[in-house]
Each structure stands twice: as C-alpha cells, then as structure tokens.
Amino acid sequence: VYVDVPESEIELDGQQYVYKSRGVSLSQVLKRKSLNHPEFPTTGSEFIWNFTYSGGVFGGNEHFIKNQLLFNWFIPISSKISIGNFSKVGAINKTSDDGLIPLQRFFVMGGSGIPSGEMLRGYPESSLGRYFFEDNTVVGAKLMARYSIEARISFSSSPTIYGFVFAEAGNVWNGFETIDPFNLKRSAGVGIRLFVPMLGMIGYDIGYGFDSSINGDNQPWGWDHHLIFGGQVN
C-alpha cells in the first residue's frame, strides 16, 4: 500500500491494491527573462515560478500545493563563450489529511529528465526518489533541489550548435525533516546541442556520476549517456 494514500481510497482489484485519483487543479506560471539570445545566451537571466493548487474548493480527492522555482543566469566570456548557471528547487505538500497526491506529481530525478522528471546527468533516468517497497519502483519525493554550471562554446550560429563541459549536483527528499543540502548526487561531463527548426533542441551528453544511485551501495554510479530530443535545454 502506498503510504501517502488514505486507506479509504484503496480498493482490492484481483491480486492488486488500486486507488482512483480525481482532481481539478489551477496552475499559474510567472516568468521574467532578459536573455540576449533564445538558443545560445551569453548574458542575462531567467526566472520562472510554477505554482499548482489542486483540490479544496475545486473538489476531487487530490489536495495539494506544488511550487517550482527556476533561476538561470549567464556570464559572458566572449561572443562565443559563456558560463551558464542553472538552479531549481521544488516542493509539494498535501493540503488536507484525507487528500492524496498523484504519483506523477512527485519529484523524480536522474538522466535527461524527459518526459516528466528532473535532469541530473550521469545517472539513470528517473533513478533518484523514494522507492515502492514491494518491487523497488521509484515513486518520487516531495522536495527537490538541483544546481548545474556549464562552460559553453559556440561552434555555429546558423544553425545553433554549441558544446560544453558541465558539473551539477542535486537530490530529492521526502520532507523537510529529512532534507540534507550536503547529501547531493554529483556529476560532471561533456555534451553538445544542435537546434533544428520545427524540432527544437537535440543533444547528446556523457556524464560521470560520482555517487551511488539506485541501489544505494555507496559506490560511484560511473558513466551514463543521455540523448536529448526536444526536451529541456538544461
């Protein structure tokens, strides 16, 4: 039984326990952007606040608030070289004791972050999060934090092609009582990006994970490869 689901919402269906999630949510996104180029910025910053409220007066059995804050800024070295800094934090919490949070709303991290996770290169896709105790499936967590830095160099401006070296760190936690800002999964590597009209950004990254991932055996995860196709730039 999943611990965040009230027992009243759980039913036995054959050999499995299931629950039905019903909810109406309101989302608001606030953005501020001052980047000098949409595909290869060398200066400026970007701030995004993504807020979601579900349940309450809207009804259903999904009752939660989810906040995500993203702040990116760029330091110019030359017209073809820049340093990109990327930070993101997020939190989700229930707003009533008898409400639930759907599984897809929790935070998972690892890999390219496509389609719905958080990027952390050098680790398997969506491999960081809480685990369902019966089959060790990742089900996500309530808090997340991630920071990345990239040294980028432009190879072409039309079409946009650039390469970079990166270092990043991040993790997810199940609550403020368990959060540890010094317990971060670290990685470093190299990558390349190509902007294709009508398709968006395509890229390939190779990252080395310095910490353990799925099994928690305290051994470095090692090298991992990631294909980026129309997903997040970072």
Side-chain angles (χ1 to χ4, degrees):
V1 178
Y2 188 61
V3 295
D4 276 24
V5 178
E7 292 186 7
S8 60
E9 301 289 343
I10 300 172
E11 302 175 357
L12 181 61
D13 182 10
Q15 300 296 317
Q16 293 183 327
Y17 287 97
V18 299
Y19 71 92
K20 296 181 180 179
S21 174
R22 308 174 303 278
V24 177
S25 61
L26 173 68
S27 295
Q28 179 69 50
V29 178
L30 298 178
K31 297 182 179 180
R32 176 198 172 276
K33 183 181 293 187
S34 61
L35 305 178
N36 66 333
H37 194 280
E39 299 156 14
F40 185 77
T42 56
T43 185
S45 63
E46 176 182 30
F47 173 80
I48 300 176
W49 175 26
N50 193 324
F51 169 82
T52 300
Y53 174 80
S54 181
V57 297
F58 299 125
N61 62 357
E62 300 176 3
H63 299 276
F64 66 87
I65 291 178
K66 184 175 184 179
N67 284 283
Q68 298 178 83
L69 298 174
L70 178 147
F71 182 57
N72 303 332
W73 72 99
F74 293 85
I75 302 171
I77 305 300
S78 70
S79 60
K80 293 184 176 294
I81 301 175
S82 68
I83 304 296
N85 300 270
F86 311 90
S87 58
K88 187 176 183 180
V89 295
I92 185 169
N93 284 289
K94 293 196 296 184
T95 55
S96 69
D97 293 335
D98 58 349
L100 62 85
I101 303 174
L103 291 179
Q104 66 270 22
R105 296 287 191 169
F106 287 102
F107 296 106
V108 293
M109 183 177 290
S112 65
I114 298 173
S116 59
E118 301 295 334
M119 176 184 284
L120 189 67
R121 293 161 289 186
Y123 296 93
E125 298 293 329
S126 302
S127 61
L128 304 179
R130 285 188 301 170
Y131 292 85
F132 187 50
F133 68 91
E134 288 187 355
D135 59 5
N136 215 32
T137 302
V138 178
V139 294
K142 295 180 179 178
L143 300 172
M144 63 80 59
R146 172 181 172 271
Y147 173 75
S148 177
I149 185 170
E150 292 183 357
R152 299 178 169 186
I153 180 170
S154 173
F155 299 135
S156 170
S157 59
S158 183
T160 299
I161 304 175
Y162 65 88
F164 56 86
V165 296
F166 71 86
E168 56 192 8
N171 209 344
V172 296
W173 301 272
N174 193 39
F176 288 101
E177 69 279 1
T178 61
I179 193 170
D180 182 358
F182 299 101
N183 179 22
L184 300 176
K185 306 297 183 179
R186 303 159 299 167
S187 66
V190 297
I192 190 168
R193 293 289 186 272
L194 164 66
F195 184 81
V196 180
M198 306 299 293
L199 292 178
M201 195 67 74
I202 297 176
Y204 180 69
D205 298 345
I206 303 174
Y208 184 89
F210 295 100
D211 300 286
S212 61
S213 181
I214 297 175
N215 297 322
D217 54 7
N218 296 321
Q219 297 297 318
W221 177 256
W223 293 101
D224 221 311
H225 305 259
H226 312 288
L227 179 64
I228 313 296
F229 183 82
Q232 48 187 305
V233 176
N234 181 278

